[in-house]
């Protein structure tokens, strides 16, 4: 069960959450503003209602998680989103990250490999607020060749290495933010494609994501 009541108390908790994230080093006001406006408790079962605004990851269906707000903010800030940009997200999950991108004006294409999670988002009424998000059931390792190239790509699951097809689907001057690593901890990487298609790689902090798994799950 989920509740769709956004009370003053929820709004107050969201303000506190953005203050916490700001103190942890997020300075992009557009990112903070998106987090301030999206009712994160809508994305979780109502049992988690009171703790939805703690800066923590939480379990959702099928053994997956809704990422920690700080992590969502961190990846989004590294992407440097501009209105109207075409953004590919790998790992829809709860769709919270997709809403943050859409709230910032991006055209979002998001892929989920688990059918149950993909289907449950179809009946999630709040998402109608963001008609600029397109949902796909598929394997993120393949990307979305039909809709490529993308200005930005964000991967929200841990990749053992950089998926080459995603790099191909990035526009020149495009950026991809992806947690890469084999074990429990991954390094956040930002790849920037130059006009001549060469790739510059920057390394940021360590995070811990659920694994990016190959193939679809029906
Ligand atoms: N962005 C999500 C976080 C999701 S957790 C949010 O805001 O809540 C990671 C998600 O990636 C899970 O739902 C998992 O099923 C999905 N995933 C893992 N490997 C994938 C792949 N190869 N393609 C698409 N989705 C994948």
């Amino acid at each position: 069960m989920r509740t769709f009541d956004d009370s003053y108390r929820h709004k107050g908790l969201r303000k506190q959450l953005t203050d916490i994230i700001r103190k942890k080093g997020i300075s992009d006001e557009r990112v903070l503003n998106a987090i301030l406006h999206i009712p994160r408790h809508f994305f979780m079962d109502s049992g988690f209602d009171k703790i939805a605004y703690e800066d923590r990851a939480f379990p959702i269906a099928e053994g997956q998680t809704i990422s920690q707000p700080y992590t969502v903010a961190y990846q989004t800030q590294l992407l440097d989103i501009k209105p109207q940009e075409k953004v590919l997200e790998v790992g829809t999950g709860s769709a919270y990250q997709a809403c943050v991108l859409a709230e910032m004006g991006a055209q979002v294409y998001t892929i989920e490999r688990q059918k149950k999670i993909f289907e449950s988002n179809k009946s999630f009424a709040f998402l109608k607020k963001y008609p600029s998000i397109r949902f796909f059931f598929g394997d993120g390792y393949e990307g979305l060749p039909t809709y490529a190239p993308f200005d930005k790509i964000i991967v929200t699951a841990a990749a053992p290495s950089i998926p080459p097809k995603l790099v191909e689907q990035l526009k020149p001057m495009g950026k991809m933010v992806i947690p890469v690593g084999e074990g429990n901890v991954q390094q956040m990487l930002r790849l920037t494609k130059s006009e001549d298609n060469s790739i510059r790689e920057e390394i940021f902090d360590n995070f811990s994501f659920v694994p990016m798994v190959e193939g679809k799950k029906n």
Side-chain angles (χ1 to χ4, degrees):
M1 265 293 290
R2 294 185 183 188
T3 45
F4 299 107
D5 164 39
D6 193 26
S7 67
Y8 281 105
R9 187 180 63 90
H10 290 122
K11 291 187 174 99
L13 290 170
R14 262 200 314 278
K15 176 72 176 69
Q16 284 177 19
L17 175 63
T18 52
D19 290 343
I20 288 169
I21 294 172
R22 192 193 299 274
K23 285 206 188 83
K24 288 185 179 173
I26 303 300
S27 54
D28 185 334
E29 291 299 330
R30 299 164 306 159
V31 175
L32 293 164
N33 200 46
I35 287 174
L36 186 61
H37 283 100
I38 301 171
R40 188 169 186 257
H41 64 287
F42 286 7
F43 295 76
M44 298 178 208
D45 285 346
S46 51
F48 294 125
D49 186 41
K50 291 187 179 59
I51 43 180
Y53 294 105
E54 290 179 15
D55 188 23
R56 298 173 37 183
F58 279 107
I60 55 166
E62 308 306 312
Q64 300 300 319
T65 55
I66 173 170
S67 302
Q68 183 178 347
Y70 172 69
T71 308
V72 171
Y74 192 98
Q75 286 196 282
T76 311
Q77 175 163 287
L78 285 179
L79 277 179
D80 190 23
I81 296 294
K82 311 262 170 36
Q84 303 309 323
E85 280 184 336
K86 252 173 89 178
V87 181
L88 173 66
E89 181 195 24
V90 172
T92 312
S94 70
Y96 178 75
Q97 171 75 69
C99 290
V100 169
L101 296 165
E103 182 71 33
M104 294 173 73
Q107 303 289 326
V108 184
Y109 297 72
T110 183
I111 318 178
E112 173 56 55
R113 69 175 287 276
Q114 293 203 50
K115 190 72 170 271
K116 278 191 187 158
I117 295 178
F118 170 76
E119 292 291 343
S120 76
N121 281 326
K122 279 191 187 167
S123 54
F124 181 12
F126 175 72
L127 298 179
K128 294 200 173 33
K129 189 181 169 202
Y130 298 106
S132 63
I133 307 177
R134 297 205 220 178
F135 294 87
F136 297 85
F137 171 53
D139 179 2
Y141 279 98
E142 299 297 321
L144 284 176
T146 318
Y147 297 92
F150 298 94
D151 295 294
K152 306 282 164 71
I153 298 179
I154 175 170
V155 178
T156 66
S161 59
I162 297 163
K165 287 182 183 167
L166 295 184
V167 179
E168 277 169 30
Q169 291 174 30
L170 204 53
K171 279 186 193 172
M173 303 316 284
K175 289 184 198 308
M176 171 155 82
V177 173
I178 177 169
V180 178
E182 297 268 11
N184 292 331
V185 173
Q186 302 86 41
Q187 283 184 319
M188 194 65 75
L189 302 186
R190 178 167 65 185
L191 311 183
T192 305
K193 207 181 234 190
S194 59
E195 293 288 4
D196 65 6
N197 282 337
S198 63
I199 301 290
R200 180 165 70 99
E201 189 176 304
E202 296 165 278
I203 302 174
F204 295 91
D205 294 337
N206 287 340
F207 290 87
S208 196
F209 284 77
V210 297
M212 182 170 171
V213 180
E214 272 184 67
K216 292 191 275 193
K217 185 180 176 216
N218 273 297

